[in-house]
Amino acid sequence: MRTPAAILAIETSNPSAWRDNDAWSPGVALGVVEGTGVRLLGVRASDPRDRDDPFLAHAAELLSAHGLHPRDLARVAVSSGPGGFTAVRVAVTAGKVIGLATGAALCLIPSAHVAARRVDHPSFAVALASKGEDAWVTPIRDGRPDQGRLVEARHLAGLSIGLLLADDHLPLSMREECARLGIAIERPTFDPVDLLHLSVHADTVDVHRATPLYPRQAEAVRKWRELHGDR
């Protein structure tokens, strides 16, 4: 009997998403392709704030618990950011290593798309990677994500949204502008099960060229250039 094609989803992109005793938590999910969809086999929560969190061990446990082997993976999906600088890069690197080791296709899905999947609203946006006075904002119109970009408070009116998904790091100026414009603010949820479902029909990427989505220059690079220029 042929083993069903398995998909592993890794959603550990945003450390701010972790809340003890939440109904949905970051982590890994495992499923198998059935028809045009995917059947969930299991989920393991993983705290993205913990740089030693064994999400790969959790993935191995899920595979073993369902009688599957790493070579049974048809694809591995990673929530590719923006998010925590280290968390996103560790997850994307893990996805690349799994792809190279097993032959699984790699899918990189923007984290905003994961947060938006269960939201029922005609026009909203997801704000991630807040820093200073701006955030990376991805508008979602009629269920379809637009291109994300860095946005400040002065840009919010032009988005024509009624809801903004944002964590506690959203700049105060943007919170005040949302209040002035009547834009509700809700905390986003990053669930590996949502990533699993999105991955079924997602495009795959060349594992050798796969890179995380991060909207700003790395802090280490910025500091180096401050000290040494472009040398």
Side-chain angles (χ1 to χ4, degrees):
M1 183 177 178
R2 185 173 177 271
T3 302
I7 302 176
L8 176 68
I10 303 172
E11 171 47 280
T12 54
S13 62
N14 279 265
S16 63
W18 184 266
R19 294 289 190 278
D20 292 333
N21 303 315
D22 255 9
W24 299 282
S25 296
V28 294
L30 179 68
V32 290
V33 176
E34 286 192 348
T36 59
V38 62
R39 174 167 58 90
L40 176 66
L41 295 179
V43 186
R44 292 286 189 278
S46 290
D47 186 348
R49 301 171 304 174
D50 183 359
R51 295 187 181 183
D52 296 320
D53 186 78
F55 67 87
L56 286 180
H58 294 162
E61 290 169 3
L62 282 173
L63 285 166
S64 178
H66 294 279
L68 296 172
H69 303 279
R71 290 282 180 184
D72 294 322
L73 289 172
R75 57 178 53 194
V76 55
V78 181
S79 180
S80 59
F85 186 86
T86 300
V88 171
R89 276 156 179 75
V90 168
V92 171
T93 300
K96 294 173 70 170
V97 169
I98 293 170
L100 288 169
T102 67
L106 177 64
C107 306
L108 297 185
I109 298 177
S111 302
H113 299 192
V114 181
R117 182 175 179 267
R118 298 192 189 189
V119 177
D120 183 14
H121 195 285
S123 184
F124 67 102
V126 183
L128 300 173
S130 297
K131 186 175 182 180
E133 293 301 316
D134 61 24
W136 183 262
V137 174
T138 303
I140 315 288
R141 306 187 191 285
D142 297 321
R144 296 186 178 184
D146 287 347
Q147 180 64 41
R149 62 187 178 93
L150 286 173
V151 165
E152 296 180 357
R154 59 193 173 91
H155 301 124
L156 289 172
L159 295 179
S160 300
I161 58 174
L163 171 67
L164 183 67
L165 302 184
D167 64 16
D168 295 339
H169 299 296
L170 187 71
L172 178 60
S173 59
M174 294 183 71
R175 288 188 177 276
E176 291 176 340
E177 184 66 357
C178 282
R180 188 183 75 82
L181 296 171
I183 300 172
I185 299 176
E186 295 181 4
R187 186 167 64 87
T189 296
F190 297 93
D191 187 343
V193 177
D194 289 324
L195 175 62
L196 180 71
H197 285 285
L198 289 171
S199 72
V200 177
H201 303 292
D203 292 334
T204 60
V205 298
D206 182 346
V207 68
H208 297 286
R209 298 174 180 269
T211 56
L213 174 59
Y214 199 77
R216 302 179 184 86
Q217 183 181 75
E219 190 70 8
V221 173
R222 184 187 66 78
K223 290 182 177 180
W224 171 270
R225 287 178 172 167
E226 280 184 354
L227 293 172
H228 307 286
D230 290 326
R231 290 184 294 136

mmCIF file of all heavy atoms in Angstrom, residues 38 111-120 124 126 140 143 165 189 191 193-199:
data_model
loop_
_atom_site.group_PDB
_atom_site.id
_atom_site.type_symbol
_atom_site.label_atom_id
_atom_site.label_comp_id
_atom_site.label_asym_id
_atom_site.label_seq_id
_atom_site.Cartn_x
_atom_site.Cartn_y
_atom_site.Cartn_z
ATOM 1 N N VAL A 38 -5.780 18.494 2.774
ATOM 2 C CA VAL A 38 -4.854 17.816 3.668
ATOM 3 C C VAL A 38 -5.597 17.387 4.923
ATOM 4 O O VAL A 38 -6.460 18.110 5.431
ATOM 5 C CB VAL A 38 -3.658 18.738 4.022
ATOM 6 C CG1 VAL A 38 -4.130 19.994 4.761
ATOM 7 C CG2 VAL A 38 -2.610 18.004 4.848
ATOM 8 N N SER A 111 4.212 35.068 6.886
ATOM 9 C CA SER A 111 3.523 34.867 8.162
ATOM 10 C C SER A 111 2.198 35.611 8.222
ATOM 11 O O SER A 111 1.254 35.163 8.888
ATOM 12 C CB SER A 111 4.434 35.304 9.311
ATOM 13 O OG SER A 111 5.644 34.569 9.284
ATOM 14 N N ALA A 112 2.100 36.735 7.521
ATOM 15 C CA ALA A 112 0.832 37.477 7.496
ATOM 16 C C ALA A 112 -0.284 36.641 6.897
ATOM 17 O O ALA A 112 -1.441 36.743 7.309
ATOM 18 C CB ALA A 112 1.003 38.772 6.701
ATOM 19 N N HIS A 113 0.027 35.804 5.913
ATOM 20 C CA HIS A 113 -0.988 34.959 5.299
ATOM 21 C C HIS A 113 -1.501 33.923 6.293
ATOM 22 O O HIS A 113 -2.689 33.568 6.282
ATOM 23 C CB HIS A 113 -0.418 34.252 4.064
ATOM 24 C CG HIS A 113 0.046 35.181 2.990
ATOM 25 N ND1 HIS A 113 0.354 34.756 1.719
ATOM 26 C CD2 HIS A 113 0.252 36.530 2.986
ATOM 27 C CE1 HIS A 113 0.740 35.784 0.988
ATOM 28 N NE2 HIS A 113 0.689 36.873 1.736
ATOM 29 N N VAL A 114 -0.600 33.440 7.158
ATOM 30 C CA VAL A 114 -1.008 32.474 8.183
ATOM 31 C C VAL A 114 -1.952 33.137 9.176
ATOM 32 O O VAL A 114 -3.009 32.597 9.516
ATOM 33 C CB VAL A 114 0.226 31.908 8.912
ATOM 34 C CG1 VAL A 114 -0.194 30.885 9.966
ATOM 35 C CG2 VAL A 114 1.201 31.260 7.927
ATOM 36 N N ALA A 115 -1.574 34.324 9.638
ATOM 37 C CA ALA A 115 -2.397 35.041 10.617
ATOM 38 C C ALA A 115 -3.764 35.408 10.045
ATOM 39 O O ALA A 115 -4.757 35.490 10.777
ATOM 40 C CB ALA A 115 -1.676 36.301 11.081
ATOM 41 N N ALA A 116 -3.827 35.604 8.725
ATOM 42 C CA ALA A 116 -5.062 36.080 8.098
ATOM 43 C C ALA A 116 -6.034 34.962 7.762
ATOM 44 O O ALA A 116 -7.209 35.239 7.484
ATOM 45 C CB ALA A 116 -4.726 36.847 6.826
ATOM 46 N N ARG A 117 -5.593 33.711 7.778
ATOM 47 C CA ARG A 117 -6.397 32.638 7.194
ATOM 48 C C ARG A 117 -7.782 32.503 7.825
ATOM 49 O O ARG A 117 -8.767 32.271 7.121
ATOM 50 C CB ARG A 117 -5.664 31.304 7.307
ATOM 51 C CG ARG A 117 -6.447 30.152 6.669
ATOM 52 C CD ARG A 117 -5.698 28.845 6.669
ATOM 53 N NE ARG A 117 -6.533 27.801 6.074
ATOM 54 C CZ ARG A 117 -7.333 27.001 6.757
ATOM 55 N NH1 ARG A 117 -7.391 27.089 8.082
ATOM 56 N NH2 ARG A 117 -8.078 26.097 6.157
ATOM 57 N N ARG A 118 -7.907 32.657 9.133
ATOM 58 C CA ARG A 118 -9.190 32.423 9.795
ATOM 59 C C ARG A 118 -9.999 33.697 10.023
ATOM 60 O O ARG A 118 -11.065 33.655 10.636
ATOM 61 C CB ARG A 118 -8.969 31.744 11.138
ATOM 62 C CG ARG A 118 -8.309 30.387 11.033
ATOM 63 C CD ARG A 118 -8.388 29.655 12.342
ATOM 64 N NE ARG A 118 -7.577 28.447 12.338
ATOM 65 C CZ ARG A 118 -7.594 27.535 13.299
ATOM 66 N NH1 ARG A 118 -8.373 27.706 14.346
ATOM 67 N NH2 ARG A 118 -6.823 26.467 13.224
ATOM 68 N N VAL A 119 -9.488 34.815 9.556
ATOM 69 C CA VAL A 119 -10.162 36.086 9.821
ATOM 70 C C VAL A 119 -11.249 36.323 8.771
ATOM 71 O O VAL A 119 -10.994 36.265 7.568
ATOM 72 C CB VAL A 119 -9.156 37.252 9.812
ATOM 73 C CG1 VAL A 119 -9.874 38.574 10.026
ATOM 74 C CG2 VAL A 119 -8.096 37.029 10.893
ATOM 75 N N ASP A 120 -12.444 36.601 9.236
ATOM 76 C CA ASP A 120 -13.576 36.871 8.357
ATOM 77 C C ASP A 120 -13.876 38.368 8.393
ATOM 78 O O ASP A 120 -14.613 38.848 9.256
ATOM 79 C CB ASP A 120 -14.796 36.051 8.795
ATOM 80 C CG ASP A 120 -15.989 36.238 7.864
ATOM 81 O OD1 ASP A 120 -15.793 36.769 6.763
ATOM 82 O OD2 ASP A 120 -17.114 35.863 8.264
ATOM 83 N N PHE A 124 -8.963 44.085 5.865
ATOM 84 C CA PHE A 124 -8.170 44.236 7.082
ATOM 85 C C PHE A 124 -6.694 44.144 6.711
ATOM 86 O O PHE A 124 -6.335 44.053 5.530
ATOM 87 C CB PHE A 124 -8.548 43.182 8.121
ATOM 88 C CG PHE A 124 -8.206 41.766 7.758
ATOM 89 C CD1 PHE A 124 -7.098 41.142 8.305
ATOM 90 C CD2 PHE A 124 -9.014 41.037 6.884
ATOM 91 C CE1 PHE A 124 -6.779 39.830 7.975
ATOM 92 C CE2 PHE A 124 -8.711 39.726 6.563
ATOM 93 C CZ PHE A 124 -7.591 39.112 7.108
ATOM 94 N N VAL A 126 -2.516 42.955 8.365
ATOM 95 C CA VAL A 126 -1.700 42.313 9.391
ATOM 96 C C VAL A 126 -0.420 43.128 9.547
ATOM 97 O O VAL A 126 0.292 43.366 8.562
ATOM 98 C CB VAL A 126 -1.351 40.865 9.015
ATOM 99 C CG1 VAL A 126 -0.565 40.199 10.145
ATOM 100 C CG2 VAL A 126 -2.610 40.069 8.690
ATOM 101 N N ILE A 140 -5.269 42.738 3.458
ATOM 102 C CA ILE A 140 -6.006 41.567 2.983
ATOM 103 C C ILE A 140 -7.382 42.054 2.536
ATOM 104 O O ILE A 140 -8.170 42.534 3.352
ATOM 105 C CB ILE A 140 -6.181 40.497 4.081
ATOM 106 C CG1 ILE A 140 -4.869 40.273 4.859
ATOM 107 C CG2 ILE A 140 -6.741 39.214 3.487
ATOM 108 C CD1 ILE A 140 -3.801 39.551 4.099
ATOM 109 N N GLY A 143 -10.206 38.437 1.260
ATOM 110 C CA GLY A 143 -9.481 37.187 1.452
ATOM 111 C C GLY A 143 -8.194 37.064 0.675
ATOM 112 O O GLY A 143 -7.510 36.039 0.767
ATOM 113 N N LEU A 165 -4.603 43.452 12.565
ATOM 114 C CA LEU A 165 -4.044 42.427 13.435
ATOM 115 C C LEU A 165 -2.634 42.848 13.805
ATOM 116 O O LEU A 165 -1.787 43.055 12.930
ATOM 117 C CB LEU A 165 -4.010 41.065 12.735
ATOM 118 C CG LEU A 165 -5.336 40.500 12.218
ATOM 119 C CD1 LEU A 165 -5.115 39.107 11.640
ATOM 120 C CD2 LEU A 165 -6.381 40.460 13.318
ATOM 121 N N THR A 189 -3.062 35.414 15.418
ATOM 122 C CA THR A 189 -2.808 34.040 15.823
ATOM 123 C C THR A 189 -1.952 33.364 14.757
ATOM 124 O O THR A 189 -2.237 33.480 13.568
ATOM 125 C CB THR A 189 -4.128 33.260 15.979
ATOM 126 O OG1 THR A 189 -4.880 33.843 17.040
ATOM 127 C CG2 THR A 189 -3.863 31.803 16.302
ATOM 128 N N ASP A 191 -0.949 29.801 13.820
ATOM 129 C CA ASP A 191 -1.269 28.399 14.072
ATOM 130 C C ASP A 191 -0.645 27.542 12.973
ATOM 131 O O ASP A 191 -0.903 27.764 11.780
ATOM 132 C CB ASP A 191 -2.790 28.230 14.072
ATOM 133 C CG ASP A 191 -3.236 26.846 14.492
ATOM 134 O OD1 ASP A 191 -2.408 25.925 14.482
ATOM 135 O OD2 ASP A 191 -4.423 26.678 14.822
ATOM 136 N N VAL A 193 -1.453 24.723 12.016
ATOM 137 C CA VAL A 193 -2.498 24.045 11.238
ATOM 138 C C VAL A 193 -2.946 24.921 10.074
ATOM 139 O O VAL A 193 -3.204 24.439 8.961
ATOM 140 C CB VAL A 193 -3.687 23.663 12.144
ATOM 141 C CG1 VAL A 193 -4.812 23.030 11.320
ATOM 142 C CG2 VAL A 193 -3.238 22.712 13.246
ATOM 143 N N ASP A 194 -3.047 26.228 10.295
ATOM 144 C CA ASP A 194 -3.381 27.137 9.205
ATOM 145 C C ASP A 194 -2.294 27.109 8.135
ATOM 146 O O ASP A 194 -2.582 27.104 6.931
ATOM 147 C CB ASP A 194 -3.567 28.563 9.732
ATOM 148 C CG ASP A 194 -4.842 28.716 10.544
ATOM 149 O OD1 ASP A 194 -5.851 28.077 10.190
ATOM 150 O OD2 ASP A 194 -4.835 29.471 11.528
ATOM 151 N N LEU A 195 -1.049 27.097 8.575
ATOM 152 C CA LEU A 195 0.065 27.009 7.627
ATOM 153 C C LEU A 195 -0.010 25.704 6.836
ATOM 154 O O LEU A 195 0.221 25.686 5.620
ATOM 155 C CB LEU A 195 1.392 27.095 8.385
ATOM 156 C CG LEU A 195 2.663 26.898 7.557
ATOM 157 C CD1 LEU A 195 2.787 27.972 6.488
ATOM 158 C CD2 LEU A 195 3.893 26.893 8.470
ATOM 159 N N LEU A 196 -0.341 24.621 7.511
ATOM 160 C CA LEU A 196 -0.460 23.318 6.851
ATOM 161 C C LEU A 196 -1.480 23.377 5.716
ATOM 162 O O LEU A 196 -1.220 22.924 4.595
ATOM 163 C CB LEU A 196 -0.863 22.260 7.876
ATOM 164 C CG LEU A 196 -1.024 20.829 7.368
ATOM 165 C CD1 LEU A 196 0.334 20.234 7.019
ATOM 166 C CD2 LEU A 196 -1.731 19.970 8.424
ATOM 167 N N HIS A 197 -2.643 23.960 5.993
ATOM 168 C CA HIS A 197 -3.682 24.045 4.968
ATOM 169 C C HIS A 197 -3.269 24.972 3.820
ATOM 170 O O HIS A 197 -3.551 24.678 2.646
ATOM 171 C CB HIS A 197 -4.993 24.514 5.588
ATOM 172 C CG HIS A 197 -5.688 23.458 6.391
ATOM 173 N ND1 HIS A 197 -6.368 22.414 5.809
ATOM 174 C CD2 HIS A 197 -5.790 23.281 7.736
ATOM 175 C CE1 HIS A 197 -6.872 21.631 6.761
ATOM 176 N NE2 HIS A 197 -6.535 22.139 7.933
ATOM 177 N N LEU A 198 -2.601 26.066 4.134
ATOM 178 C CA LEU A 198 -2.161 26.980 3.085
ATOM 179 C C LEU A 198 -1.105 26.336 2.187
ATOM 180 O O LEU A 198 -0.995 26.668 1.001
ATOM 181 C CB LEU A 198 -1.583 28.254 3.709
ATOM 182 C CG LEU A 198 -2.574 29.214 4.367
ATOM 183 C CD1 LEU A 198 -1.820 30.307 5.112
ATOM 184 C CD2 LEU A 198 -3.515 29.819 3.336
ATOM 185 N N SER A 199 -0.337 25.415 2.744
ATOM 186 C CA SER A 199 0.794 24.848 2.010
ATOM 187 C C SER A 199 0.390 23.903 0.890
ATOM 188 O O SER A 199 1.171 23.658 -0.033
ATOM 189 C CB SER A 199 1.719 24.104 2.980
ATOM 190 O OG SER A 199 1.116 22.895 3.433
#
